[in-house]
Amino acid sequence: MAKEKTQYTCTDCGGITAKWLGKCPSCNAWNTLIETAVDSAGPAKNRYAGMAALAPASEVAVLCDIEAQDVARTPTGQEELDRVLGGGMVQGGVVLIGGDPGIGKSTLILQAMDGLQRTGKRTLYVTGEESAAQVALRSRRLGLDHSQVQVLAETQLEKVLATADKFQPDVMVMDSIQTVYSDQLTSAPGSVAQVRECAAHLTRMAKATGTAVVLVGHVTKEGALAGPRVLEHMVDTVLYFEGDTHSTYRLVRAIKNRFGAVNEIGVFAMTEKGLKGVSNPSAIFLSQHAEPVPGSCVLVTLEGTRPMLVEIQALVDTGGPSPRRLSVGLDRDRLAMLLAVLHRHAGVACMDQDVFVNAVGGVRISEPAADLAVLLSIQSSLRGKPLPQGFIAFGEVGLAGEVRPAPRGQERLKEAAKLGFTVAIIPKANAPKKPIPGMTVHAVERVDEAIGLVRELGRA
Ligand code: TYD
Ligand code: MG
């Protein structure tokens, strides 16, 4: 048996000395050397070997021998929410849900909690923003008159954790993470340090107890979750509310999900009695013009697993000395790039014009397949001529003026045909092998081809 000998290991850098010193010779930190045991093989030669002596070895397992457990999910009863969650709430999972004030975070979460409670889950709704009475008022408005959801109005983290410990909920909500604070820190609630610390504690609690935790978070004006992006790394799932608070429709998008697909979206309508899921959202982002108008082009976008039709509107108008380029729901840098491509490869110049583009209904479109529709709506506004009746477009546009394919083109075309659209300009590589009933498809390889085609169609 190896004889135990003593050495001194620095708790900061892992450096090792044979005798005790006030200052670590490796990192010069004071009072960090602690006594550790070594076997008779002698003191470790380097700090890494020294580190290994600080803890016992753990068991390892062969990957194929590890039982792959499917996570247990509990549907919330809100189908559209379950869709973005990947099937429902996961035991021990932490969900962060962000969005503008007044968009419906508390409403959706309360509805989901009530749904979970009805399936027999123990639910705890911790409100830091509103009083318990205000939450009750909302629940009456939602028609949840006999809701058994437990409510706690509290902002001190230690008390929240103690209550959770006693009550042992299956699902707990912290609405919002910005209102809660820990006594351990001196900084104000909502500060980066507090938000981080509190989220870390709640995450640890979720992992230790199997409680599913939902953190509600505010969004800053710039659209990021207030405080730290670091929250996004800590949690398992990040959902964002999108949409215009003035319109009826709300989108919930998964931008990170350890238990499901990302970029899946759930669509809701805000009604007098809370949020109602919209199971067939493909046509909600179209403004119903009686006659085609200039500057409007319908895009078929693919959000998550469902194709959706979104109207892209452009307004091109005489600008001042430094013309403006503004976009709502679309990337502004991409707009600048598209204008350059339009000029260089199709000879359409907007240099002295203000250009505004908007995706109708407050929906945010991040996929490049929107490019072609953006270009065509700008061209249409510039010429003051509407695109043909029943027209759709999609396709990515490259800097060389080429039109690149979009994923799952067939599905997009079929959805548009289903909704009564009859003419399409799409990338060549997306051209359908079999004709799509009721739809005339023009497949193009280049931007100038698309622009030329639109001019021709306009004449027809
Ligand atoms: P809320 O869930 O409080 O938003 P958040 O928690 O994201 O700040 O939603 C508030 C808005 O929703 C408010 O303007 C009122 C509206 N609303 C309805 O239209 N119908 C309803 O049934 C409820 C409860 C709210
Ligand atoms: Mg709220």
Side-chain angles (χ1 to χ4, degrees):
M1 228 185 97
K3 209 174 113 243
E4 293 274 309
K5 246 174 61 177
T6 311
Q7 65 181 16
Y8 295 88
T9 307
C10 173
T11 51
D12 270 11
C13 71
I16 292 182
T17 60
K19 57 179 191 206
W20 192 85
L21 296 167
K23 187 163 113 176
C24 168
S26 308
C27 69
N28 293 329
W30 286 96
N31 290 327
T32 54
L33 290 171
I34 53 158
E35 194 177 4
T36 48
V38 277
D39 62 26
S40 56
K45 288 279 183 302
N46 64 45
R47 49 188 281 206
Y48 300 107
M51 289 288 271
L54 293 177
S58 303
E59 290 289 318
V60 292
V62 180
L63 188 55
C64 65
D65 290 344
I66 301 171
E67 208 180 318
Q69 278 180 337
D70 212 8
V71 284
R73 294 172 198 277
T74 315
T76 62
Q78 294 287 323
E79 267 176 44
E80 289 294 300
L81 179 62
D82 291 340
R83 168 192 286 276
V84 276
L85 286 172
M89 297 291 292
V90 173
Q91 215 183 22
V94 183
V95 180
L96 175 66
I97 181 157
D100 289 334
I103 198 143
K105 300 181 292 297
S106 304
T107 306
L108 179 63
I109 291 304
L110 190 58
Q111 287 177 283
M113 288 293 267
D114 186 69
L116 286 162
Q117 177 72 43
R118 277 169 210 276
T119 62
K121 297 282 164 193
R122 289 168 71 78
T123 52
L124 177 62
Y125 184 105
V126 185
T127 167
E129 302 216 320
E130 295 157 311
S131 65
Q134 280 171 306
V135 176
L137 200 67
R138 179 180 290 120
S139 80
R140 303 292 188 283
R141 184 166 174 192
L142 296 172
L144 312 173
D145 288 350
H146 305 288
S147 182
Q148 299 296 307
V149 174
Q150 304 277 343
V151 179
L152 168 71
E154 183 55 67
T155 52
Q156 194 192 328
L157 180 73
E158 286 74 16
K159 287 189 188 158
V160 172
L161 290 174
T163 312
D165 194 43
K166 179 162 163 248
F167 181 66
Q168 304 266 316
D170 295 309
V171 190
M172 185 177 114
V173 171
M174 184 67 236
D175 186 358
S176 65
I177 188 69
Q178 274 97 0
T179 53
V180 69
Y181 70 96
S182 165
D183 257 354
Q184 308 291 312
L185 300 180
T186 47
S187 50
S191 64
V192 173
Q194 284 285 9
V195 167
R196 236 158 91 159
E197 181 75 5
C198 294
H201 277 292
L202 290 165
T203 305
R204 219 167 296 145
M205 181 210 90
K207 302 298 166 201
T209 60
T211 300
V213 171
V214 180
L215 306 175
V216 176
H218 291 300
V219 166
T220 59
K221 285 204 193 73
E222 294 77 43
L225 272 176
R229 290 281 310 204
V230 69
L231 274 191
E232 293 184 2
H233 300 291
M234 271 189 233
V235 302
D236 300 305
T237 305
V238 181
L239 307 181
Y240 274 106
F241 258 98
E242 285 175 18
D244 187 351
T245 31
H246 306 291
S247 85
T248 317
Y249 295 107
R250 305 280 191 276
L251 260 64
V252 176
R253 190 188 298 265
I255 65 156
K256 163 180 174 179
N257 198 350
R258 287 188 185 142
F259 305 119
V262 285
N263 264 331
E264 187 60 277
I265 62 163
V267 184
F268 297 90
M270 180 61 97
T271 68
E272 268 308 293
K273 291 200 152 206
L275 288 160
K276 295 262 185 311
V278 179
S279 53
N280 187 6
S282 49
I284 60 176
F285 295 107
L286 300 175
S287 44
Q288 313 287 345
H289 304 292
E291 287 288 313
V293 292
S296 154
C297 179
V298 176
L299 158 75
V300 192
T301 176
L302 205 81
E303 296 294 344
T305 49
R306 292 181 296 192
M308 279 200 323
L309 284 90
V310 179
E311 182 180 334
I312 305 292
Q313 294 185 333
L315 179 67
V316 181
D317 195 21
T318 319
S322 51
R324 283 180 291 175
R325 277 93 179 77
L326 286 179
S327 65
V328 180
L330 293 148
D331 185 30
R332 198 155 65 151
D333 293 338
R334 192 125 195 131
L335 171 63
M337 185 200 98
L338 289 174
L339 288 172
V341 172
L342 192 63
H343 180 217
R344 194 59 196 267
H345 296 288
V348 179
C350 302
M351 266 98 77
D352 50 355
Q353 309 278 326
D354 284 341
V355 180
F356 306 97
V357 288
N358 174 33
V360 166
V363 56
R364 252 175 244 161
I365 295 172
S366 48
E367 66 160 1
D371 293 351
L372 198 54
V374 173
L375 278 190
L376 294 179
S377 64
I378 292 171
Q379 143 86 355
S380 159
S381 175
L382 188 67
R383 289 201 318 151
K385 292 218 167 132
L387 288 157
Q389 182 101 35
F391 179 88
I392 59 121
F394 61 84
E396 179 179 348
V397 170
L399 285 178
E402 79 279 18
V403 177
R404 298 203 201 118
R408 294 161 51 202
Q410 303 294 302
E411 244 174 272
R412 299 182 197 234
L413 284 172
K414 280 187 191 144
E415 187 68 28
K418 207 169 84 189
L419 288 163
F421 287 82
T422 51
V423 196
I425 294 188
I426 62 162
K428 190 134 225 157
N430 285 129
K433 298 204 173 55
K434 276 189 279 173
I436 293 185
M439 173 83 82
T440 315
V441 177
H442 302 275
V444 297
E445 270 179 318
R446 303 199 45 83
V447 169
D448 43 337
E449 244 180 285
I451 298 284
L453 249 171
V454 164
R455 290 201 177 121
E456 244 169 66
L457 290 171
R459 239 179 265 137

